[in-house]
Amino acid sequence: MNAFTRVLAVGALALVANSSVAQAESMLFMDNFIGHGMGELYTGPTSGDSIAPFTTYSSRNDGRVRLYGGGLLMDVDANGRYNLNEADLVLNLEDWENIRVTFNHRSYNDEVHGFAVDEDRVGGSGDQNAGQLNPFVDHSNADGVAVSVDGENFVPIWTPSAGESNSNWYGVEISSVDAAIAQALNLAGGNGSLSTVTFRLQQYDDYSKTTDGRGWDWVTIYGTEKPSGAPGVVPEPSSFVLLGIGAMGLVGYGWRRRKTRKAA
């Protein structure tokens, strides 16, 4: 192996040694609302039916966020009065990345209300701004899931499609949550923290199940652990230039030594 090849081999080994090793995905949180929660960050009950560790909110006294059929049901108990229901989960994600969320969901003929720009609009029959995912402050009259890092500025990550099933449970997977969390940090303007990431499930409408309402079950959050210590550093282009110059110098030095010996 000549000098040039040896230097490149050493450089390659250094890059491999410094690179971060890919981490395996872990279940951070899972709750099916019948006391069988688990995961690295699960802090809820270990037996018995419970909404905890979720905290709930309803914009009217007749709003309902309750356990029903082994899952979490959101609707109202006084028909004809629009209401926003929410269930918030707060997790510490300082040590985690590549966040992925899955859950089972069901609509009980609930009209879809997307995250529109006008948060105070009143819904009505049919789909309302379905598919829109606009950030909001505090509350938005919408159906779906949003994240926040300060409990105030929220970035939606999912809303039902206009053609969702109204007769069966279906699975949902959201795999691009890191970007939304980064956006939420930006919106928080320095007041947010990865130690207080809020995941919000929400429903908005004016009739009880089965004319309106939404069900949630098997809410699960995955992530990979951030590498410990300093992350691997990939040399800048200038580093490669210096590496090449050093290799060329060694090759030149070897050539001069051989020439000197021949002359002797």
Side-chain angles (χ1 to χ4, degrees):
M1 180 184 294
N2 61 36
F4 181 74
T5 305
R6 284 198 300 270
V7 170
L8 289 185
V10 171
L13 289 173
L15 292 179
V16 172
N18 276 328
S19 63
S20 300
V21 178
Q23 302 294 316
E25 185 178 68
S26 299
M27 177 190 291
L28 305 183
F29 177 92
M30 186 283 290
D31 199 341
N32 59 11
F33 304 102
I34 57 174
H36 294 162
M38 61 180 66
E40 299 277 351
L41 303 179
Y42 179 77
T43 58
T46 56
S47 63
D49 299 355
S50 177
I51 293 177
F54 287 85
T55 58
T56 65
Y57 163 88
S58 294
S59 59
R60 305 185 68 98
N61 291 334
D62 42 32
R64 294 189 296 189
V65 182
R66 57 193 171 110
L67 298 173
Y68 178 87
L72 189 68
L73 175 65
M74 297 178 174
D75 66 351
V76 297
D77 62 8
N79 291 336
R81 303 177 68 179
Y82 280 97
N83 171 78
L84 173 65
N85 289 314
E86 299 171 347
D88 286 2
L89 170 70
V90 180
L91 296 179
N92 183 346
L93 298 181
E94 287 182 319
D95 298 328
W96 302 92
E97 59 187 359
N98 301 318
I99 305 302
R100 181 169 67 94
V101 178
T102 67
F103 54 87
N104 289 343
H105 187 68
R106 180 173 180 178
S107 168
Y108 294 95
N109 297 298
D110 196 287
E111 291 85 10
V112 179
H113 300 84
F115 293 88
V117 175
D118 181 4
E119 300 171 8
D120 298 321
R121 79 197 186 289
V122 174
S125 60
D127 301 325
Q128 304 291 315
N129 303 291
Q132 292 196 33
L133 294 172
N134 295 288
F136 62 92
V137 177
D138 292 331
H139 305 286
S140 177
N141 295 330
D143 301 296
V145 182
V147 297
S148 174
V149 294
D150 63 354
E152 181 178 352
N153 295 278
F154 283 84
V155 177
I157 57 176
W158 178 80
T159 187
S161 66
E164 72 173 330
S165 170
N166 284 299
S167 58
N168 298 299
W169 289 86
Y170 61 91
V172 176
E173 177 177 0
I174 311 166
S175 58
S176 56
V177 181
D178 287 37
I181 293 175
Q183 184 179 359
L185 282 169
N186 184 57
L187 292 174
N191 295 320
S193 171
L194 291 178
S195 65
T196 55
V197 178
T198 299
F199 293 85
R200 173 174 291 175
L201 316 178
Q202 59 181 78
Q203 177 264 345
Y204 175 76
D205 228 313
D206 62 337
Y207 274 77
S208 61
K209 172 186 176 292
T210 57
T211 303
D212 279 323
R214 293 188 175 276
W216 311 81
D217 204 359
W218 292 96
V219 178
T220 311
I221 299 171
Y222 301 90
T224 57
E225 191 170 5
K226 293 179 180 178
S228 59
V233 178
V234 177
E236 298 178 359
S238 57
S239 300
F240 284 110
V241 171
L242 291 175
L243 184 64
I245 292 173
M248 290 174 64
L250 286 175
V251 172
Y253 173 73
W255 179 81
R256 285 194 301 271
R257 286 190 61 190
R258 287 194 299 270
K259 185 175 180 181
T260 302
R261 287 176 181 174
K262 289 181 180 179

